[in-house]
Amino acid sequence: AAGGVPLLGSVPFNFDSLATHVGWLLSSLGLHAGPVALALSALAAASLWKDSRRDLAAWALWFSATAGTYILFSSQQMPAVDPEYARAVATRFHLLPLIAIFALAGIGAETLARRVRPVFIYGLLAAVLITPLALRPQTLAQDNPLLDYTRALIRDSGPRDLIVLGGDDTIFASLYLENVQRATGQRVFLCPTMFAFPPYLRRLKNTYPGVLFPPLGPQGLSTDWVLWKKLNPGRAVLAEPSLLPIIQAQFPSSVPQGTLVRIEAASVKTNPAADARRFLEAPEPFSFLRNQSREWTQEVYLLQARKRMAAWLASRLNPKSDQALIARLSLLMAAL
């Protein structure tokens, strides 16, 4: 590994990955704690240095142990895992050292309150509460790219189709659309990661009584989607694009269908240019781009899925006759 030195024999210690994780921690401190909490925690550290170095040492130990231990070990696993996944998991573990920052910020606020007028403290409290909302208004009711992504799966499928899901985001969104909004018709949502979980299997049978399921094997329900099609004639089997590499490896004859992948066992004649236009003319692909996403959320997987789909659509086009479509897909991929 680049920047590595031998550790425990032949295993290299990767300093580049370590630096990346340290940068992620600093980003989390600046974003989730913010300048006010960091300033108050610095004030608390100065105050405790004079009044109670034992308390300061305790919080410093908590911060260094929770941050350092995780960074040390997780950074060395980074070359073997998906960077987007590593970033999301790291942000969740940063909540542990942030406990020390927030505890010190509370001590700092108490120290400050003893030295300034109450009106200043109330003003500071108002700023802490209002500033985040002003910088990023909470409009989840109208602006939810993950929910829009799942609604697109419904739009691009038939009312009785089987839709294979690959990520937590679409699983939760599909449950919401199915059970709360009742907006999925008779579509069947399948989560292969749960195919060996008995309560999930019981839910499938109770929720979709008209669907025939393949017999259970050692790994639960089969993921042979051609078998699912044979058991349920008249229903297409569609997969969200996050599963595209797996589907292409197992079913290379599969074709695009809007924002979905239609699983096929044999070659099917389609119009690649029409497939690309259908994807590009949908409102979702350009509605949420990389510069709008937060790196530690499921939004990055949504962007990955769309970029993967755009690349596949571009690879099916004719470089001579479909130059305009290829250029539009390239522009989209650059923005994702």
Side-chain angles (χ1 to χ4, degrees), residues 69-90:
T69 303
Y70 174 74
I71 288 175
L72 181 64
F73 287 99
S74 64
S75 64
Q76 302 315 299
Q77 297 175 345
M78 188 174 172
V81 299
D82 174 46
E84 306 282 12
Y85 174 79
R87 177 71 169 93
V89 172

Side-chain angles (χ1 to χ4, degrees), residues 18-34:
L18 181 66
T20 297
H21 272 257
V22 170
W24 288 348
L25 174 62
L26 296 177
S27 175
S28 290
L29 293 179
L31 185 64
H32 300 299

Side-chain angles (χ1 to χ4, degrees), residues 3-23:
V5 297
L7 177 69
L8 299 179
S10 60
V11 180
F13 187 90
N14 194 311
F15 286 102
D16 290 346
S17 295
L18 181 66
T20 297
H21 272 257
V22 170

Side-chain angles (χ1 to χ4, degrees), residues 191-201 216-221:
C191 311
T193 54
M194 303 287 286
F195 274 7
F197 188 47
Y200 175 75
L201 301 180
L216 290 176
Q219 304 299 322
L221 289 176

Side-chain angles (χ1 to χ4, degrees), residues 276 279-292 303 306 310 325 327-336:
F279 178 76
L280 288 167
E281 290 168 2
E284 297 85 15
F286 280 97
S287 66
F288 185 74
L289 305 175
R290 171 68 65 171
N291 59 5
Q292 300 169 273
L303 298 174
R306 285 182 178 156
L325 286 172
R328 291 176 62 190
L329 288 168
S330 298
L331 179 65
L332 175 61
M333 287 187 281
L336 297 174

